């Protein structure tokens, strides 16, 4: 990683005359790439009647400005009904409010459904870029400052995290606001690393309040904070911290739910929308264990919906409990870093209702240990991108997919040890791409390549999960800047 083009260019700029330009370049270049990607199609581009995720996000800006909060989670649910927690609704309201000041027709209630004009699309793309610039990018810089005192390494890690191809292609190509949730989660991690546990818990509740998928990190956050409370030398201080954390969580969620807090019916409707159990074990061909097993055993035909919920719950708990008990018994930066990686990856592999884009959840903590685990991180990121290719191809994003993946690998120059293993993995991914491009699938198996993609990706994700779990329990690097135990401040 430290021998790649990005590292060499940063080294050239590390002079008294030009050093001031490095933070600007490390911020503006990733923003430029994001804007270039945003010039491509998005989810649902020119595909009536339902369009896609772009229309969903636009529609939420429409209903949050055109209706009272009591109707946000109940209004015409067949047309992209709101199914994210309240902070997403408030964010949609803010974006829509600004948009209405510019052009009321963009978010006119009902009349604006499927609205696509050059100016409105520019505005929508800008909302993603500005949201990321305000929340996610500062969080990445803060992490770099906390963990890497050496300027050269800090700048390199920050640049490569911001150039992460998966987040770029999903938020600025496909169209979503994952960077807001990931940024809030990273602000929480930053606070925990410097022992601002209460403030960190506010940020983590906000991450949960923006997207429920932040639950992928919740067991590790809980195990870490509980371990800090228990391991505090003065038991009274530990108990006081525990009470502070509990009050903080309750108060933060109460504020986010304030418009609905007087109605049990409204609260239950929010829960129903946020956790749509009826959708089934997984959607589309996602690279987790249940979709891979479906090739051999049609679980959704053999088991009832309730049985699949219990099965995924038991499998997820079996995977994450040892990881987080290990963390809670002796909380340290090293254990916290690996636990975040392993828990989020276990959720992706074994939990209920996983989407292809959910791989962005384990991608965040995995990227945060890039400097210590360059080979594993490189393999993970390339497999993660590969796993999303069928989705991206359907949306006309094949060209930016290859471009941002190549750019990240080239900038990092991450090829180091274990080259034979990595090239064997990459060879299998390239072979799939070649077959998918040149050889048509049999008529009786039209989804052959999509299923193979999910199975191949899942196999590699399982191996990566085993590797990182071994690193947490047995070997492991000194991640997040230190291996010392953390006590309450």
């Amino acid at each position: 990683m430290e021998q790649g083009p990005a590292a060499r260019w940063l080294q050239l700029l590390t002079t008294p005359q030009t050093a001031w330009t490095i933070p600007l370049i490390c911020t503006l270049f990733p923003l430029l790439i994001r804007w270039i990607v945003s010039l491509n199609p998005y989810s649902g581009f020119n595909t009536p009647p339902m369009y896609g995720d772009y229309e969903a996000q636009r529609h939420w800006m429409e209903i949050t400005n055109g209706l009272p909060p009591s109707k946000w989670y109940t209004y015409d649910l067949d047309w992209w009904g709101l199914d994210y927690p309240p902070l997403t609704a408030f964010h949609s309201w803010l974006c829509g409010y600004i948009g209405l000041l510019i052009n009321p027709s963009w978010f006119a209630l009902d009349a604006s459904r499927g609205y696509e004009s050059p100016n409105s699309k520019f505005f929508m793309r800008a909302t993603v870029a500005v949201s990321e610039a305000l929340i996610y990018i500062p969080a990445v810089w803060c992490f770099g400052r906390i963990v890497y005192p050496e300027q050269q390494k800090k700048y390199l890690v920050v640049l490569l995290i911001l150039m992460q191809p998966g987040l770029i292609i999903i938020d600025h190509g496909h169209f979503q606001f994952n960077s807001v949730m990931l940024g809030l989660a990273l602000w929480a991690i930053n606070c925990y690393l410097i022992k601002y546990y209460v403030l960190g818990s506010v940020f983590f509740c906000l991450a949960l309040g923006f997207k429920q998928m932040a639950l992928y990190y919740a067991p590790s956050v809980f195990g870490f904070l509980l371990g800090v409370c228990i391991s505090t030398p003065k038991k009274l201080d530990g108990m006081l911290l525990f009470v502070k954390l509990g009050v903080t969580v309750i108060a933060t969620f109460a504020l986010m739910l304030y418009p609905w807090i007087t109605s049990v019916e409204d609260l239950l409707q929010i829960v129903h929308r946020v956790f749509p159990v009826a959708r089934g074990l997984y959607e589309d061909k996602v690279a987790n264990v249940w979709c891979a097993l479906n090739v051999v055993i049609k679980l959704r035909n053999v088991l009832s919906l309730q049985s699949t919920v219990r099965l995924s719950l038991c499998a997820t708990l079996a995977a994450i409990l040892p990881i987080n008990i290990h963390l809670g018994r002796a909380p340290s930066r090293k254990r916290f870093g690996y636990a975040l990686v392993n828990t989020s990856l276990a959720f992706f592999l074994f939990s209920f209702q996983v989407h292809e884009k959910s791989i962005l959840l384990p991608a965040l903590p995995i990227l945060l240990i890039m400097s210590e685990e360059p080979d594993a991180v490189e393999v993970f990121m390339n497999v993660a991108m590969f796993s999303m290719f069928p989705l991206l191809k359907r949306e006309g994003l094949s060209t930016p997919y290859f471009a941002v993946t190549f750019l990240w690998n080239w900038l990092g120059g991450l090829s180091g040890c274990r080259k034979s293993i990595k090239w064997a993995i990459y060879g299998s991914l390239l072979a799939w791409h070649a077959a998918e491009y040149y050889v048509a699938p049999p008529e009786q198996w039209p989804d052959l390549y999509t299923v193979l993609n999910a199975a191949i990706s899942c196999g590699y994700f399982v191996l990566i999960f085993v590797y990182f779990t071994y690193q947490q329990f047995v070997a492991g690097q000194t991640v997040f800047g230190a291996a010392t135990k953390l006590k309450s401040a």
Side-chain angles (χ1 to χ4, degrees), residues 169-170 385 388-398 401:
I169 199 72
I170 292 300
M385 287 298 293
M388 293 189 289
F389 178 76
L391 168 70
L392 300 173
K393 182 184 177 183
R394 289 198 303 270
E395 296 170 357
L397 293 169
S398 296
Y401 158 83

Side-chain angles (χ1 to χ4, degrees), residues 140-429:
V140 173
W141 275 106
C142 183
F143 175 81
R145 184 174 182 179
I146 291 169
V147 175
Y148 299 106
E150 182 189 341
Q151 294 285 78
Q152 178 76 8
K153 181 173 285 190
K154 175 181 72 176
Y155 292 140
L156 179 59
V157 169
V158 167
L159 176 61
L160 292 177
I161 291 175
L162 293 180
M163 288 300 298
Q164 197 255 87
L167 185 59
I168 292 175
I169 199 72
I170 292 300
D171 275 19
H172 300 272
H174 172 85
F175 198 93
Q176 283 192 334
F177 289 92
N178 294 290
S179 61
V180 176
M181 178 267 292
L182 295 174
L184 292 169
L186 184 50
W187 275 117
I189 293 169
N190 292 336
C191 290
Y192 296 146
L193 295 181
I194 57 175
K195 302 181 182 181
Y196 281 56
Y197 301 123
V198 173
L199 181 59
S201 297
V202 172
F203 278 118
F204 188 68
C205 289
L206 293 176
L208 286 167
F210 193 84
K211 284 198 173 187
Q212 61 270 36
M213 286 82 77
L215 283 168
Y216 280 34
Y217 307 133
S220 295
V221 169
F222 177 79
F224 174 75
L225 293 176
L226 182 61
V228 169
C229 293
I230 293 172
S231 62
T232 301
K234 295 182 179 179
K235 299 304 177 186
L236 185 59
D237 289 344
M239 182 61 70
L240 181 60
L241 176 60
F242 184 81
V243 172
K244 287 180 180 178
L245 293 171
V247 171
T248 298
V249 170
I250 294 171
T252 305
F253 276 107
L255 284 174
M256 288 190 289
L257 293 167
Y258 179 75
W260 306 273
I261 207 163
T262 58
S263 171
V264 175
E265 183 180 355
D266 286 347
L267 292 174
L268 290 176
Q269 176 64 9
I270 292 173
V271 173
H272 173 72
R273 293 296 301 162
V274 170
F275 298 102
V277 176
R279 291 184 183 176
L281 189 57
Y282 57 86
E283 290 193 13
D284 293 327
K285 306 297 188 295
V286 61
N288 75 345
V289 168
W290 309 124
C291 185
L293 280 177
N294 191 65
V295 177
V296 181
I297 306 173
K298 306 297 181 185
L299 291 173
R300 291 190 290 193
N301 296 335
V302 175
L303 301 175
S304 65
L305 179 62
Q306 292 75 16
S307 297
T308 58
V309 171
R310 287 193 290 267
L311 175 63
S312 63
L313 176 62
C314 291
T316 306
L317 288 175
I320 68 173
L321 281 178
I323 292 165
N324 293 290
I325 291 173
H326 178 258
L327 167 64
R329 290 182 61 187
S332 67
R333 285 187 172 190
K334 172 191 168 182
R335 291 192 180 190
F336 185 43
Y338 279 112
L340 284 169
V341 168
N342 293 323
T343 301
S344 56
L345 196 47
F347 264 93
F348 178 82
L349 288 170
F350 301 110
S351 65
F352 192 85
Q353 254 299 303
V354 174
H355 297 255
E356 307 100 316
K357 296 158 290 194
S358 300
I359 198 61
L360 295 178
L361 275 296
L364 174 64
I366 288 175
L367 278 167
L368 299 182
I369 63 173
M370 177 194 317
S371 180
E372 297 78 18
E373 296 277 9
D375 294 296
V377 172
E378 177 191 346
V379 170
F380 171 83
M381 279 311 310
N382 285 303
V383 174
M385 287 298 293
F386 173 77
S387 72
M388 293 189 289
F389 178 76
L391 168 70
L392 300 173
K393 182 184 177 183
R394 289 198 303 270
E395 296 170 357
L397 293 169
S398 296
T399 299
Y401 158 83
F402 286 110
V404 295
T405 304
F406 171 80
L407 182 59
W408 186 79
N409 281 277
W410 179 72
L411 283 173
L414 296 178
S415 294
C417 59
R418 306 184 181 94
K419 284 186 178 179
S420 59
I421 297 175
K422 289 195 292 186
W423 283 115
I425 294 172
Y426 297 158
S428 66
L429 307 187

Side-chain angles (χ1 to χ4, degrees), residues 32-88:
L32 173 63
I33 298 302
R34 282 158 168 75
W35 199 252
I36 292 172
V37 169
S38 72
L39 300 176
N40 289 273
Y42 46 77
S43 173
F45 176 69
N46 284 340
T47 55
M50 291 302 293
Y51 301 93
D53 276 2
Y54 174 93
E55 170 59 18
Q57 301 287 345
R58 192 214 57 78
H59 179 62
W60 298 343
M61 297 178 192
E62 167 195 335
I63 62 172
T64 52
N65 278 275
L67 297 168
S70 60
K71 295 185 178 181
W72 288 357
Y73 287 92
T74 58
Y75 185 75
D76 196 2
L77 298 180
D78 290 333
W79 186 271
W80 298 111
L82 182 58
D83 57 2
Y84 281 121
L87 196 56
T88 283

